[in-house]
Structures are given as structure tokens and as C-alpha cells.
């Protein structure tokens, strides 16, 4: 980093916000952005919240001049550490969230990258359209992140992935020029090649790379076999070199994890709404391998989706405040459950499809129960599947499910043998795992239970991925399907795709980003996959004394650690529910359940103080929590922040005393009794705007009546800025 760097100067030049200094508030923001939904954690140099494209250009110019990388981020639900790093995290989720244009006749919509997938489809529904890719995080996953990871989702075997539905993208290149990536006919393509600018240089160098015969052969031989639709390893050179379709740089952009350019707008292809009638055949199995064989048969019946839920996930619905009511369809104690969806124009048509599959499965003695679910109850079934990532975080103890081999994909017909090999591998490593998700696409989210707080666990972490890459090669599969390589799997791309292809991937990065401005050390030149883990500094093992009883949760630290980072707390009022009202109002990451849990985890783990709760950063992140308990019921991991906030406040007050405002509120009834003794004077003060305003200001009460959480936040923040 150069000595002439001035983050103060950068902050003054931005319309948006920049958090970078050592003040408690800035440090709180930086810690909140130090992790995502992965196992990684690294404090960023700064966090930027740009308001417009000019802000983004200023950030890129600054990064280029000072040898810093910009880490683009939206919802922060990445599982491979894509948005974790020591550069400047640039969160575009707050201000780049507009739906810009809808063309009903041509079936496309133009959006900014901070638009949430489910919110977009809520807008599109009255017009009879939808954006197809549907991740389990769709209630908070944003279009920018979905492009970065080439997100797919549980209906991808019919609705496609993000790459297939991305028509064009407005992007900013490393020299801050704005260009459009879109499909090009032959004349337009050659026009790009002769341009005398940065864009023309990129096209010329890529053209040279993709037309050399040696490179073509390496790409053809190195990438996964074509029957695998989940193919997101490295950069999509195999897709970009496909001459049967017009050249479109969007095919390379999708899945590039923000390492090539910054997306400011995206034009998305829309699908008609699917037939309204649907049914789920929920096939119960006593064995995982039998389930995978049943999946192959299910696919021959052309379903809309075929998804796996295993015993671990089903067991964690028992007694859960929300999901205990979703297990009505489970019969007995299955080891695996295959949820197969069919759709049609009439109930009879849908049922006929499902019963045809049931008949074939029974004939081949696969499965033991086949409940058929229709109507609104199908949502309850799918909610169990979508909550899998969070539900398995309820596992007691320090050995927890880790995202590691959860994104490897093979052809569906290879799944029975692949799963058998994985089971043998994990038995040899001495660990158990949860298996769930996209059986229909050949990609199972297999999450081994590993204790990353120990050196032995970290060695196991690496060993499992190393050995799984051998299996990926054995089945000519894909190292990453939809979660991306990031800093988790990037280290193994060369092994899976071959040295020649990896050198081409490195060349692509250099063509677009020679200075490493865009999300450096992701996909290529990544740090070792077992470094910068959340628990690297977990040396303080002193028991934390608490006022509340946390024995059911094992400890307050374990309760905080249950947060998977999946970001369910980032959904908006459009999705509905309670969690998290403060985030719905502010749209600030620090006001999420996730940020509060992560902040507690970090300070309770690493603080050297006798009172580990005595940190201003914890006070900042807990301040706007309303203690509504929405997180206890709506968070799949049941992370009860309200309970943890109460515990924190007591310890903080032990150190600093109880504030006068808190005493006034706590003793409101008694104070009103005293006020009644001097009623005329009391009423005169509270009814006089000037005097009442002084009282409220001195006690940090809002100066006017509040009717919504959003109005409350506006008044509080405007008041703070005014003072």
C-alpha cells in the first residue's frame, strides 16, 4: 500500500459513505463486513456504500492508484468467501436497488444489481412473468450476487441458471469506462475488435485466446462433460467459446465473482409464470444410495424439480418454533427424502404425472412411502428444504457443518456411485455429513461436520476437499456448481481443469484486471483454503459467566456461533415476517440479526478484557435491536438475539452504570405517579412544544410521534446528523 493513501480524502469525494477509521462506529461496520456465509473472516481496510456510478468510478480510480482491491458485495450470502478480504468492501445493496424498465412484449426487465430476486418477482407477477433462477436465499439474494455466482436454484433443470437468463449487462471496467456486454452478431463483434479503447483491447486479446487451436483443445478436454448443467469452475471459457450462439461477454461475466468488472445494470430474460397447479411427490427412502437411484428414475418423468432432504435436516425440524409445523408429511423415520415437483394445467394432469412416477418406483422397490402434497401445503414442504443450511446449524457441539464440498456436481446418473464414494471418503476421515439439495441437477450440498477450532479439524477440512477433487476428476464433474470457487476452491482449479486451462483462466484475469482492482485473490491466486478462518484466533477458552441460563444452547457463545450467515434476516417487508425490523428500516448490514450474532461471536471469542461484553462496538450493533424475538422463530438456526442483547446490556451496565434514560423508561409507572402530584406543571411541560422538545432531546427520545419503523429511523438519523 502506498504511503500517500488518504482514506479521509476518498471519503470526502464520495456521495455515499465510507467507513475506515478506528472509531467504534466505523470499526463496527468493518467487523460486520469481515465475514459472509462462509467459514472465512478477514477485516477489510474499509467499507464503502456508493450512491451512484460516479462513486463506483471514484473507488476504482482510488484502488488502482493505491494498489487496493475492491470487493463488490450485495446480500453477503456467499459460501466460498467471495466477499471476504482485506481491501475495500463495496456494498451496492442499499442504493442500487431500482427496477428500471420492463418490456412486456419482449419479455425482459432491466434492473440494478441490488434488486432482490423475490422482490423482483413480486413486481413481475401481475404482468404474468418471473425471473427463473431461484436460490434457497431468494428472499434476500440480489441480482448482482446471482450474476457473480451464476446462481441456479431448485428449479434450474427447467428454469435455467442466471447465465442463461442474462441478456446484457452494463459494467464498469478497470479504467472506469462504462460498456455494455450483450449478444453480438458477426459485424458487431468485428467492430469491437477494431475499437481503439480499453473495451477493444479486451475483445482482441480474448479473441486471440479463444481462436488458438491448442487452447480450444485444452478447453474442450479440461472442462466438465456437457451433461453437467452446474458447471461453474473457474471462468466459463467453454461457454464463451461456443460458436453455435452469438458471442456474448455475459457468459463470461456470469460466475466471475466480481473479479472482471462491476455490474451497474442487468437486462434479464423473463419466463411466463408456471402453470398454477402443482403437486409434490415426497418419496421416503431408508438409504441414501437408493434415493439417488430413485432420483434418476424421477428425472425420466420430466419433473420441474427433484430435491433431496436428509435425516439431519428433518430431525432439526422437531421442536423448532416454526418448522415443527412443516413436518406433517413425514412418515416414519426416513434416512432420505426426495421431493419431486410436477406442474400442469389441471389437478388431474399433475396427479397423473406423480402417480406414474410412484408406480415405477414401487415396481422397482425404491422408497417406502409416497405422500402426495398439493395446494398451499406445498410451500411448507419447500420451506423445509430451503431452510436446510440454517437448520443443520442447530447441531450441538463444536463439530459443525462446513461449506466445503457442497458445490461439487456430477451428472445425475453418476450420483449413486459418487455418493457411495463420498460416504467411504467421509468414513475414512471419521466424520459425518448432511446431504441435501439439487439431486435433479447432480449437485448435492454435502456438508461434513468438522471442528474448525482445532488444528486436527483444520487438517481434516483440507483433506476432505483434496480427496473430493479426485472424485470430481473421476466422474468428469464440476468442482463448483453454483456457489463459486472464491477463496475456498480456487486453490484446486488447476488440479481439476488442468495446468493449461488454469493458465488461460489466469490470462483472462490479467486481460480484464492487470492491477487486481476487482476482488483480487478469488478464483485465481487464492490464499490457502485453510487460512483466515473464523476461528483462527480462538485462544480465549475462559468460561463466560452469564445472568441468563444458556445451558440449552450450550453457552451464549455457541448461540452466537449458530448463525450460518445465510442472511434470512435481510429479507424485506415485501417477503413479510417479523425478522428483522431494524434492518427493514435502515437497510444497513450492522442492523441485521447476522451482524449482531457475528459481532458477539468475535468479541466473546477474542476479547482480552475481563468483561468481554465491555465494547462500544457491541453497543453500536445492539442499539437498534427492538428485542422483538422475531429471530428466535424465523431464523432457521433460532439465533435469539433478544436474549443475547439483554445479557449484553446487563454486563455493559455493570461496567458503565445504567443510563438515566433507561431508568426513566424502566420506572415509567412510578414517574407518572410522581407527575400526578404536580399535574398542572407536568401537563404544561409535556404539552409545550419547546419545553417538551428540550426534555426529549436531553433524554434521547424521538421529538415526534412515530407511526412506522422507517419514520423512526429517518428522524433518529436526521436528528443525529443535525446535532
Amino acid at each position: 500500500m502506498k504511503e500517500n493513501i488518504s482514506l479521509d480524502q476518498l471519503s470526502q469525494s464520495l456521495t455515499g459513505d465510507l467507513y475506515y477509521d478506528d472509531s467504534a462506529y466505523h470499526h463496527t461496520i468493518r467487523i460486520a463486513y469481515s465475514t459472509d456465509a462462509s467459514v472465512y473472516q478477514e477485516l477489510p481496510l474499509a467499507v464503502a456504500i456508493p450512491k451512484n456510478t460516479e462513486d463506483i468510478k471514484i473507488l476504482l480510480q482510488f484502488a488502482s492508484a493505491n494498489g487496493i482491491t475492491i470487493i463488490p458485495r450485495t446480500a453477503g450470502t456467499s459460501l466460498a468467501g467471495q466477499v471476504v478480504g482485506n481491501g475495500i468492501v463495496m456494498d451496492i445493496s442499499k442504493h442500487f436497488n431500482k427496477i428500471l424498465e420492463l418490456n412486456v412484449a419482449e419479455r425482459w426487465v432491466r434492473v440494478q444489481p441490488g434488486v432482490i430476486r423475490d422482490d423482483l418477482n413480486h413486481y413481475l407477477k401481475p404482468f404474468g412473468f418471473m425471473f427463473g433462477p431461484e436460490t434457497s436465499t431468494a428472499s434476500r439474494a440480489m441480482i448482482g450476487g446471482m450474476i457473480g455466482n451464476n446462481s441456479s436454484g431448485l428449479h434450474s433443470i427447467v428454469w435455467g441458471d442466471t447465465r442463461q437468463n442474462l441478456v446484457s449487462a452494463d459494467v464498469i471496467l478497470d479504467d472506469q469506462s462504462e460498456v455494455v456486454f450483450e449478444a453480438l452478431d458477426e459485424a458487431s463483434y468485428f467492430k469491437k475488435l477494431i475499437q481503439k479503447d480499453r473495451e477493444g483491447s479486451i475483445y482482441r486479446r480474448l479473441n486471440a485466446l479463444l481462436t488458438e487451436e491448442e487452447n480450444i483443445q485444452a478447453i474442450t478436454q479440461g472442462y466438465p462433460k456437457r451433461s453437467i448443467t452446474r458447471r461453474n469452475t473457474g471462468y466459463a471459457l467453454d461457454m464463451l467459446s461456443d460458436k453455435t450462439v452469438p458471442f456474448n461477454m455475459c457468459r463470461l461475466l456470469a460466475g466471475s465473482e466480481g473479479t472482471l468488472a462491476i455490474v451497474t445494470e442487468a437486462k434479464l430474460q423473463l419466463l411466463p409464470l408456471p402453470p398454477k397447479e402443482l403437486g409434490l411427490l415426497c418419496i421416503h427412502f431408508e438409504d441414501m444410495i437408493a434415493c439417488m437411484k430413485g432420483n434418476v428414475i424421477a428425472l425420466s418423468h420430466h419433473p420441474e424439480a427433484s430435491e433431496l432432504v436428509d435425516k439431519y435436516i428433518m430431525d432439526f425440524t422437531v421442536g423448532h418454533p416454526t418448522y415443527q409445523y412443516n413436518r406433517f408429511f413425514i412418515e416414519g423415520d426416513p434416512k432420505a427424502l426426495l421431493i419431486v415437483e410436477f406442474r400442469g394445467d389441471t389437478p388431474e394432469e399433475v396427479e397423473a404425472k406423480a402417480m406414474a412416477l410412484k408406480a415405477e418406483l414401487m415396481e422397482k422397490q425404491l422408497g417406502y412411502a409416497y405422500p402426495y402434497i398439493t395446494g398451499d401445503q406445498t410451500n411448507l414442504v419447500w420451506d423445509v428444504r430451503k431452510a436446510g443450511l440454517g437448520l443443520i446449524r442447530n447441531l450441538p457441539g463444536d463439530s459443525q457443518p462446513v461449506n466445503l464440498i457442497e458445490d461439487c456436481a456430477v451428472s445425475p446418473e453418476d450420483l449413486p456411485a459418487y455418493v457411495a464414494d463420498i460416504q467411504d471418503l467421509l468414513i475414512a476421515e471419521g466424520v459425518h455429513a448432511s446431504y441435501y439439495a439439487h439431486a435433479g441437477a447432480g449437485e448435492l450440498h454435502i456438508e461434513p461436520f468438522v471442528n474448525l477450532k482445532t488444528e486436527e479439524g483444520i487438517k481434516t477440512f483440507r483433506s476432505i476437499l483434496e480427496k473430493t477433487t479426485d472424485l470430481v476428476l473421476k466422474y468428469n464433474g464440476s468442482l463448483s456448481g453454483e456457489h463459486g470457487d472464491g477463496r475456498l476452491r480456487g486453490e484446486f482449479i488447476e488440479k481439476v481443469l488442468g495446468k493449461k486451462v488454469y493458465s488461460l483462466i489466469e490470462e483472462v484475469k490479467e486481460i480484464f484486471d492487470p492491477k487486481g482492482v476487482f476482488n483480487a485473490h478469488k478464483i485465481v491466486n487464492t490464499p490457502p483454503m485453510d487460512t483466515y478462518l473464523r476461528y483462527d484466533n480462538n485462544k480465549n477458552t475462559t468460561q463466560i459467566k452469564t445472568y441468563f441460563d444458556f445451558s440449552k444452547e450450550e453457552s451464549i457463545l455457541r448461540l452466537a456461533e449458530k448463525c450460518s450467515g445465510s442472511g434470512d434476516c435481510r429479507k424485506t417487508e415485501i417477503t413479510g415476517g417479523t425478522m428483522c425490523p431494524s434492518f427493514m428500516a435502515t437497510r444497513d448490514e450492522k442492523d441485521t440479526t447476522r451482524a449482531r450474532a457475528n459481532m458477539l461471536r468475535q468479541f466473546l471469542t477474542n476479547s482480552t478484557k475481563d468483561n468481554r461484553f465491555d465494547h462500544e462496538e457491541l453497543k453500536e450493533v445492539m442499539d437498534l435491536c427492538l428485542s422483538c424475538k422475531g429471530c428466535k422463530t424465523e431464523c432457521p438456526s433460532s439465533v435469539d438475539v433478544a436474549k443475547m442483547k439483554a445479557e449484553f446490556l446487563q454486563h455493559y451496565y455493570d461496567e458503565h452504570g445504567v443510563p438515566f434514560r433507561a431508568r426513566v423508561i424502566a420506572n415509567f409507572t412510578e414517574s407518572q405517579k410522581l407527575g400526578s402530584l404536580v399535574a398542572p406543571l407536568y401537563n404544561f411541560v409535556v404539552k409545550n412544544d419547546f419545553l417538551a422538545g428540550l426534555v426529549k432531546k436531553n433524554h434521547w427520545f424521538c421529538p415526534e410521534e412515530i407511526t412506522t419503523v422507517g419514520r423512526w429511523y429517518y428522524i433518529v438519523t436526521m436528528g443525529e446528523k443535525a446535532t
Side-chain angles (χ1 to χ4, degrees):
M1 192 182 302
K2 295 185 178 180
E3 293 180 0
N4 64 352
I5 181 173
S6 173
L7 290 168
D8 288 313
Q9 187 177 3
L10 174 62
S11 178
Q12 293 169 11
S13 66
L14 295 173
T15 308
D17 300 311
L18 185 71
Y19 304 95
Y20 59 94
D21 63 33
D22 292 326
S23 66
Y25 189 77
H26 279 223
H27 194 218
T28 299
I29 303 297
R30 291 167 62 207
I31 292 176
Y33 283 89
S34 66
T35 189
D36 51 11
S38 72
V39 297
Y40 297 103
Q41 180 174 292
E42 190 172 5
L43 189 70
L45 172 69
V47 174
I49 315 292
K51 278 192 174 181
N52 47 49
T53 55
E54 189 59 33
D55 276 354
I56 295 176
K57 290 181 179 181
I58 291 171
L59 286 164
L60 291 176
Q61 185 177 27
F62 180 85
S64 180
N66 292 283
I68 298 169
T69 195
I70 299 295
I71 305 167
R73 172 171 171 145
T74 50
T77 57
S78 45
L79 295 167
Q82 285 95 327
V83 296
V84 176
N86 61 6
I88 298 177
V89 174
M90 184 178 70
D91 184 351
I92 57 177
S93 68
K94 187 170 184 177
H95 299 297
F96 287 77
N97 56 8
K98 306 293 189 301
I99 298 172
L100 302 171
E101 183 182 3
L102 171 64
N103 190 311
V104 174
E106 297 181 11
R107 294 186 179 180
W108 55 259
V109 66
R110 194 163 55 87
V111 302
Q112 291 182 317
V115 170
I116 294 173
R117 188 269 184 187
D118 277 2
D119 291 1
L120 172 61
N121 278 359
H122 181 270
Y123 167 82
L124 294 171
K125 188 175 182 179
F127 300 97
F129 295 114
M130 68 175 186
F131 177 59
E134 177 195 21
T135 65
S136 61
T137 57
S139 64
R140 59 272 187 198
M142 297 176 179
I143 299 302
M146 295 181 72
I147 293 171
N149 280 355
N150 187 33
S151 298
S152 301
L154 60 89
H155 287 97
S156 68
I157 59 177
V158 176
W159 298 350
D161 57 23
T162 302
R163 180 181 289 121
Q164 292 170 288
N165 290 278
L166 180 61
V167 179
S168 67
D170 291 22
V171 305
I172 301 178
L173 300 177
D174 65 325
D175 68 340
Q176 300 96 58
S177 60
E178 296 183 64
V179 302
V180 178
F181 290 161
E182 59 187 347
L184 302 172
D185 58 26
E186 189 171 328
S188 299
Y189 181 71
F190 281 105
K191 186 176 179 180
K192 294 287 186 185
L193 294 178
I194 61 174
Q195 285 182 195
K196 304 296 184 182
D197 56 11
R198 183 75 180 101
E199 183 185 20
S201 172
I202 290 173
Y203 273 89
R204 283 191 294 276
R205 292 189 63 187
L206 275 179
N207 182 72
L209 185 151
L210 294 172
T211 53
E212 187 175 324
E213 185 60 35
E214 182 185 356
N215 295 345
I216 294 172
Q217 289 183 358
I219 291 169
T220 302
Q221 295 170 3
Y223 277 83
K225 55 185 175 183
R226 286 286 178 174
S227 60
I228 299 174
T229 57
R230 302 288 181 99
R231 45 197 306 113
N232 212 39
T233 305
Y235 295 127
L237 291 175
D238 54 336
M239 298 292 184
L240 194 65
S241 59
D242 184 355
K243 295 182 180 180
T244 64
V245 293
F247 186 94
N248 190 340
M249 201 75 82
C250 285
R251 294 205 294 277
L252 188 68
L253 185 70
S256 64
E257 303 180 14
T259 63
L260 303 180
I262 301 295
V263 178
T264 57
E265 292 181 15
K267 184 178 178 182
L268 308 173
Q269 173 182 294
L270 302 179
L271 301 174
L273 291 175
K276 292 183 179 180
E277 300 297 336
L278 77 150
L280 303 179
L281 190 66
C282 302
I283 311 157
H284 293 48
F285 294 89
E286 295 177 341
D287 174 76
M288 183 63 70
I289 306 302
C291 182
M292 294 300 95
K293 292 177 180 178
N295 174 64
V296 175
I297 294 173
L299 291 176
S300 70
H301 289 254
H302 308 293
E304 302 287 313
S306 182
E307 294 282 304
L308 170 68
V309 174
D310 77 345
K311 178 174 168 56
Y312 280 107
I313 293 175
M314 287 183 274
D315 285 351
F316 283 128
T317 63
V318 177
H320 190 281
T322 297
Y323 296 100
Q324 63 179 320
Y325 304 108
N326 296 47
R327 53 179 291 114
F328 65 92
F329 65 98
I330 299 175
E331 300 180 19
D333 188 25
K335 297 294 188 296
L337 186 71
L338 194 67
I339 305 170
V340 183
E341 179 181 287
F342 293 99
R343 288 181 180 263
D345 295 325
T346 66
E348 293 77 14
E349 177 190 355
V350 177
E351 185 173 4
K353 294 177 181 179
M355 293 306 106
L357 172 58
K358 176 182 176 180
E360 183 172 357
L361 290 169
M362 293 181 69
E363 179 186 348
K364 296 182 177 178
Q365 298 183 336
L366 290 170
Y368 72 84
Y370 315 85
Y372 178 62
I373 312 300
T374 59
D376 291 340
Q377 288 187 319
T378 57
N379 294 325
L380 299 178
V381 177
W382 278 135
D383 284 348
V384 171
R385 156 59 195 94
K386 291 179 179 180
L389 176 63
L391 283 170
I392 55 177
R393 291 310 187 276
N394 289 296
L395 187 73
D398 286 331
S399 291
Q400 289 292 307
V402 293
N403 298 300
L404 180 63
I405 57 174
E406 89 297 338
D407 204 35
C408 301
V410 299
S411 289
E413 63 270 18
D414 290 330
L415 272 178
Y418 172 75
V419 169
D421 285 344
I422 287 288
Q423 289 179 332
D424 290 343
L425 186 163
L426 295 179
I427 289 172
E429 292 289 343
V431 301
H432 297 280
S434 178
Y435 300 67
Y436 66 100
H438 315 300
E443 180 194 40
L444 299 185
H445 295 340
I446 303 174
E447 300 199 18
F449 304 155
V450 181
N451 183 359
L452 291 178
K453 295 181 179 180
T454 66
E455 291 185 9
E456 182 182 355
I458 294 174
K459 289 179 181 178
T460 300
F461 182 63
R462 168 175 285 278
S463 176
I464 290 173
L465 182 53
E466 284 181 337
K467 293 175 181 177
T468 299
T469 57
D470 293 333
L471 297 180
V472 170
L473 282 168
K474 175 181 178 180
Y475 294 100
N476 197 7
S478 181
L479 179 64
S480 300
E482 64 171 344
H483 296 165
D485 301 310
R487 57 198 299 167
L488 173 61
R489 287 175 282 267
E491 186 180 343
F492 298 94
I493 295 175
E494 181 175 347
K495 175 182 177 181
V496 171
L497 297 185
K499 180 175 285 190
K500 177 61 177 177
V501 172
Y502 185 70
S503 71
L504 297 179
I505 291 171
E506 288 181 310
E507 186 176 347
V508 169
K509 174 64 173 175
E510 195 275 331
I511 289 171
F512 277 87
D513 185 26
K515 292 186 177 181
V517 171
F518 298 125
N519 208 8
H521 310 303
K522 313 293 163 53
I523 300 180
V524 298
N525 302 318
T526 59
M529 54 83 72
D530 48 6
T531 58
Y532 294 100
L533 302 177
R534 286 189 180 190
Y535 305 110
D536 274 354
N537 298 318
N538 186 18
K539 305 302 181 185
N540 190 347
T541 58
T542 306
Q543 185 176 2
I544 302 168
K545 295 181 180 180
T546 59
Y547 289 92
F548 284 111
D549 180 7
F550 286 92
S551 57
K552 183 179 179 182
E553 299 90 354
E554 297 181 81
S555 69
I556 186 173
L557 177 58
R558 270 297 297 128
L559 178 57
E561 288 174 344
K562 284 173 67 175
C563 175
S564 68
S566 62
D568 300 67
C569 44
R570 285 185 60 100
K571 66 182 186 295
T572 69
E573 71 281 356
I574 295 174
T575 295
T578 301
M579 181 178 70
C580 177
S582 53
F583 172 76
M584 289 182 187
T586 69
R587 301 296 173 91
D588 289 336
E589 173 65 26
K590 79 172 183 67
D591 297 320
T592 61
T593 303
R594 173 172 70 181
R596 290 163 182 145
N598 275 327
M599 196 73 68
L600 267 172
R601 173 182 57 78
Q602 294 196 46
F603 279 105
L604 294 182
T605 299
N606 300 317
S607 175
T608 57
K609 290 187 174 183
D610 291 336
N611 182 349
R612 285 188 248 183
F613 296 91
D614 180 23
H615 291 276
E616 287 300 311
E617 291 88 346
L618 289 176
K619 184 173 181 292
E620 289 283 1
V621 82
M622 290 293 183
D623 188 42
L624 297 187
C625 171
L626 303 181
S627 299
C628 67
K629 289 282 188 177
C631 48
K632 183 175 182 180
T633 56
E634 293 182 20
C635 172
S637 304
S638 299
V639 178
D640 187 352
V641 168
K643 182 178 181 180
M644 292 191 291
K645 178 183 180 179
E647 185 71 36
F648 155 73
L649 282 175
Q650 185 58 59
H651 289 274
Y652 189 84
Y653 291 163
D654 287 346
E655 200 74 27
H656 299 278
V658 180
F660 181 71
R661 182 179 70 158
R663 292 186 184 277
V664 169
I665 295 172
N667 298 287
F668 182 76
T669 303
E670 287 74 10
S671 68
Q672 295 309 292
K673 289 179 181 178
L674 291 175
S676 67
L677 299 177
V678 287
L681 177 61
Y682 179 88
N683 290 334
F684 173 75
V685 172
V686 298
K687 290 182 179 181
N688 182 281
D689 291 342
F690 176 73
L691 294 175
L694 286 177
V695 172
K696 291 176 181 178
K697 184 174 182 179
N698 288 333
H699 294 86
W700 282 92
F701 289 124
C702 191
E704 63 180 71
E705 181 181 357
I706 305 301
T707 55
T708 67
V709 176
R711 180 63 181 155
W712 153 78
Y713 173 67
Y714 173 79
I715 292 169
V716 170
T717 54
M718 290 303 101
E720 288 177 352
K721 290 179 180 178
T723 56

